[in-house]
Amino acid sequence: MTTRNYWITASVVVLLAGILSYFYLDIPAALWFRGMKGSGFYRAFKLLTRMGESQWYLAAGLLSYLMLRRTKPAVASSGLLLFSSVALSGLAADLVKILLGRARPKLFFSGSVYGFDLLRFEHAWISFPSGHSATAFSVASTLCILFPQYRIVFFLWAALIAFSRVATTQHYLSDVLAGSLLGAASTAFLYHRYFKTPSHALIPSKIR
């Protein structure tokens, strides 16, 4: 299967899963996890979800690039890919959030509000897609390119962060699915378009 066909297939699968989740899973899952609030399970994922905040990875990627671009250009290029992937997925997620205006779970809990209302800027109306999930999967995808032997670990880590957004009732399952695809696709696009060329060759699977 070619890379293009792979991403078409993945997008279709996520789209169908998201539609099914929107109609059949989002609300039941949100209500179930709402009942877990205050438990040790909830507190654990409340801590874990902070690892999906983009500022940590943006800073690490940019600093790596700025500090090493002259002495270790391959490592610097890897840092630039990390920064660019997180930035692109985050900006794309924010744009879609505002354009589609999906109500967060808290609006359903307080007033049974569910669905989309275009062009909304309020925090309660920017649920789709999940920005934390996009960040987690853009980071994991970058790390998988650099260290492919650990790709299972990286994607499990990203999946846990994405799941934490549902577990803490900040997002619906369909938000997380869309955000995860967006993050992975952002990294794949940037890598194949800009970072696979010899002038931007990334570090090998083992840092030397």
Side-chain angles (χ1 to χ4, degrees), residues 16-31 102 114 172-174:
L16 293 176
I19 292 173
L20 290 173
S21 182
Y22 179 84
F23 288 106
Y24 300 108
L25 295 177
D26 281 2
I27 292 176
L31 290 173
R102 187 183 188 185
Y114 184 73
Y172 292 109
L173 178 58
S174 56

Side-chain angles (χ1 to χ4, degrees), residues 44-54 56-57 130-140 143 153-168 170-171 176 180:
F45 279 102
K46 189 72 173 177
L47 290 173
L48 179 64
T49 201
R50 296 191 64 183
M51 297 184 70
E53 295 175 0
S54 62
W56 315 114
Y57 312 105
S130 165
H132 282 63
S133 300
T135 293
F137 272 85
S138 64
V139 172
L143 293 175
V153 175
F154 297 139
F155 279 125
L156 284 176
W157 169 82
L160 280 174
I161 292 176
F163 174 74
S164 74
R165 304 307 288 165
V166 180
T168 56
Q170 295 300 307
H171 285 282
V176 163
S180 300

Side-chain angles (χ1 to χ4, degrees), residues 84-161:
S84 302
S85 298
V86 174
L88 177 61
S89 65
L91 290 172
D94 287 342
L95 178 61
V96 176
K97 283 172 182 281
I98 293 170
L99 290 176
L100 297 185
R102 187 183 188 185
R104 288 184 183 267
K106 64 182 180 181
L107 290 182
F108 182 81
F109 299 151
S110 62
S112 297
V113 178
Y114 184 73
F116 295 86
D117 188 13
L118 305 183
L119 296 177
R120 298 295 295 260
F121 293 86
E122 305 93 325
H123 180 265
W125 284 93
I126 52 172
S127 189
F128 182 91
S130 165
H132 282 63
S133 300
T135 293
F137 272 85
S138 64
V139 172
S141 298
T142 299
L143 293 175
C144 285
I145 292 171
L146 301 176
F147 311 102
Q149 66 271 36
Y150 301 118
R151 59 184 175 273
I152 294 177
V153 175
F154 297 139
F155 279 125
L156 284 176
W157 169 82
L160 280 174
I161 292 176

